[in-house]
Amino acid sequence: MSDRFSHMDADGNARMVDVSAKDNTKRTAIVRCRVLLNSNTFDLLVRDALPKGDVLTTAKIAGIMAAKQTHALIPMCHPLPVSYADVRFEVDEAGHAVGIEAEVRTTGKTGVEMEALVAAQIAAATIYDMCKAVQKDIEITDCRLIYKSGGKSGEFRND
């Protein structure tokens, strides 16, 4: 087997990429996704009247915690010193949706795209969990990296 795959050695065995020779740079990643609700569930969410409590505060904390634990969830991810993590919400009344934006920053040898992806998805899953008592057909959609900076590849925008 060729050594051209970064997470495989020449014999085809899984490995963590060696980033020790890379320079430390400031790195940022931003991911967005959406949680689609029906009108009743959406109304309960915005009125903070769901049976499990304050959905968005709980989802924010869950997303931030998830960003810091990504290396424990995805086998080849490097543990990173997360210097900043935030999860923000946009409440879309017309679409009965909650937009989620997760941002993670570090100064290091590898990027934080995975941390931002995990943060957004865990925040979305937390919203799902806290709303499932009143709605079973909740949808989590459109999860994507919208911005990254730092490292050899530089800046990426996906607006």
Side-chain angles (χ1 to χ4, degrees):
M1 172 135 304
S2 168
D3 198 332
R4 71 179 191 263
F5 296 110
S6 63
H7 285 81
M8 283 187 182
D9 67 16
D11 296 323
N13 299 308
R15 67 167 182 190
M16 180 184 264
V17 174
D18 182 359
V19 296
S20 60
K22 294 174 87 175
D23 291 331
N24 282 325
T25 62
K26 182 178 177 189
R27 296 166 183 268
T28 300
I30 301 173
V31 167
R32 287 188 187 144
C33 68
R34 291 173 58 79
V35 179
L36 308 179
L37 304 167
N38 65 33
S39 60
N40 178 59
T41 306
F42 183 83
D43 178 60
L44 291 169
L45 183 140
V46 296
R47 289 191 298 114
D48 200 19
L50 283 155
K52 287 192 175 184
D54 185 345
V55 174
L56 297 184
T57 298
T58 305
K60 179 181 187 83
I61 294 166
I64 292 168
M65 289 175 64
K68 299 188 302 178
Q69 293 300 313
T70 299
H71 70 281
L73 302 170
I74 300 177
M76 302 303 166
C77 277
H78 294 83
L80 299 175
V82 172
S83 55
Y84 174 83
D86 193 22
V87 176
R88 301 176 284 269
F89 303 103
E90 180 182 333
V91 177
D92 174 6
E93 291 185 36
H96 301 127
V98 177
I100 299 169
E101 183 174 274
E103 181 176 355
V104 181
R105 297 181 205 151
T106 192
T107 299
K109 296 174 181 286
T110 189
V112 286
E113 296 95 295
M114 298 311 299
E115 287 74 10
L117 280 162
V118 169
Q121 291 178 76
I122 292 298
T126 301
I127 293 170
Y128 186 105
D129 178 57
M130 295 189 73
C131 295
K132 71 183 181 192
V134 296
Q135 181 183 349
K136 304 293 185 229
D137 62 345
I138 298 164
E139 293 182 44
I140 298 171
T141 66
D142 302 326
C143 187
R144 68 197 182 285
L145 176 71
I146 60 156
Y147 178 79
K148 78 157 270 325
S149 66
K152 186 171 60 173
S153 64
E155 191 173 68
F156 167 80
R157 291 186 184 273
N158 183 20
D159 298 323

